[in-house]
Amino acid sequence: MTERSDSSPGSGSTLRRGLGDAFDTGSTRRYYEEHAEAYARETGSADLRQVWRLLTERLSPRSRILDLGCGAGRDLAYFGRAGYRVIGLDYSFNLLKIARADSNQRVVLGDLAMLPFATESFDAVWAVASLLHVPRQRIRVVARDIRKILKQSGVFVASVKRGTGERVDERGRYFADYEVSEWGGLLGDVGFVDVEIQTMKEERRDLHDNAVQIDWLVSVCKKRSARKMVVRPGGL
Ligand SMILES: C[S@@+](CC[C@H](N)C(=O)[O-])C[C@H]1O[C@@H](n2cnc3c(N)ncnc32)[C@H](O)[C@@H]1O
């Protein structure tokens, strides 16, 4: 694993550790459902150029990308314009309506914990700011399922917030935060290789219009290619 860092340690407000299901992750979904339009406005113009490049520089033209937790479709629109074949999945119907209308790309209503896709069907999976809502105790299963739907040598880009433990933010959303070593270790454990993690900072306004800084971990890695068995003709 390689790490590139330009920031100080994160400062997530950790409420509890290791309680996973004790958090009502239904309130996360409710938040996106009830605030879809506001959320689309809040995130629609985020500057993702550096992160988009992490993926596009590793892909061939027309590659098939799955945007997991696509939200209001900002990245679907970008990848679609860039000529990739994209599909978005999200569990918020209201966000998906916006994503569909604004990006003109295919979207699927679904849960990223139960992926409705065939094995080895994507060249890349893009999960920006979505796996951070998966309860800590389920993240390895989800990461393994993502690996399964990637083609051999497929690319996986994901971002989570830097920190430790689990918390619920003031909007009622559940978050699992990770430090570099834990996130990188987890990706390696479930069979990803060439793991690179960058830390990035984002300035935003919170609900009360105060300036806040978010520390992101952005990972890019690959599904290891299966070894090919070479069978040579001839007897003993
Ligand atoms: C922080 S938003 C990020 C949205 C988008 N990727 C972006 O960067 O703007 C998290 C997104 O993940 C979706 N999401 C969270 N948990 C999910 C789950 N279990 N299944 C499907 N979508 C989920 C939410 O509905 C929301 O759209």
Side-chain angles (χ1 to χ4, degrees):
M1 181 178 77
T2 54
E3 177 191 355
R4 282 194 270 157
S5 172
D6 57 3
S7 66
S8 53
S11 59
S13 58
T14 305
L15 298 184
R16 305 193 219 172
R17 279 182 79 92
L19 292 178
D21 280 344
F23 289 99
D24 173 16
T25 54
S27 72
T28 309
R29 181 179 183 169
R30 233 174 0 259
Y31 172 80
Y32 289 112
E33 216 46 334
E34 289 171 5
H35 301 89
E37 301 229 335
Y39 189 76
R41 277 195 302 278
E42 185 182 334
T43 55
S45 57
D47 183 1
L48 268 278
R49 281 175 297 182
Q50 200 183 341
V51 192
W52 288 334
R53 210 173 308 124
L54 280 179
L55 180 60
T56 56
E57 67 190 11
R58 289 168 168 80
L59 290 184
S60 347
R62 305 278 307 141
S63 289
R64 214 163 162 237
I65 305 174
L66 170 65
D67 185 346
L68 267 188
C70 63
R74 176 198 60 237
D75 304 331
L76 277 181
Y78 171 76
F79 292 128
R81 280 197 305 276
Y84 297 103
R85 291 173 292 157
V86 282
I87 181 163
L89 176 140
D90 205 285
Y91 67 4
S92 161
F93 181 73
N94 290 333
L95 276 175
L96 275 189
K97 276 200 296 196
I98 299 172
R100 175 81 185 89
D102 289 0
S103 72
N104 205 26
Q105 301 298 327
R106 288 169 60 206
V107 294
V108 176
L109 183 67
D111 194 317
L112 52 80
M114 284 184 289
L115 296 176
F117 303 107
T119 302
E120 300 196 358
S121 43
F122 293 98
D123 300 293
V125 171
W126 172 266
V128 161
S130 52
L131 298 181
L132 38 64
H133 293 315
V134 174
R136 230 162 216 287
Q137 62 196 45
R138 300 205 202 116
I139 189 67
R140 279 166 194 270
V141 174
V142 171
R144 276 199 190 93
D145 287 348
I146 290 172
R147 190 177 166 280
K148 210 181 282 174
I149 60 170
L150 273 171
K151 295 180 187 170
Q152 300 298 326
S153 301
V155 185
F156 176 36
V157 173
S159 68
V160 290
K161 290 187 184 181
R162 189 172 190 184
T164 51
E166 298 167 288
R167 63 194 165 87
V168 175
D169 75 357
E170 58 175 346
R171 306 180 192 203
R173 298 176 301 176
Y174 166 90
F175 282 86
D177 299 326
Y178 298 89
E179 283 297 345
V180 173
S181 56
E182 188 185 8
W183 186 245
L186 188 152
L187 293 170
D189 287 351
V190 302
F192 287 104
V193 293
D194 299 343
V195 179
E196 279 179 40
I197 299 185
Q198 297 191 21
T199 55
M200 295 184 189
K201 288 185 186 295
E202 185 191 1
E203 309 286 342
R204 269 210 201 156
R205 296 261 152 205
D206 69 10
L207 286 179
H208 315 292
D209 205 32
N210 298 316
V212 287
Q213 183 171 275
I214 304 175
D215 286 321
W216 291 104
L217 296 187
V218 181
S219 60
V220 54
C221 53
K222 271 172 46 178
K223 175 171 175 171
R224 190 180 16 233
S225 305
R227 289 226 177 86
K228 289 205 177 80
M229 193 163 61
V230 181
V231 180
R232 293 205 172 82
L236 290 172

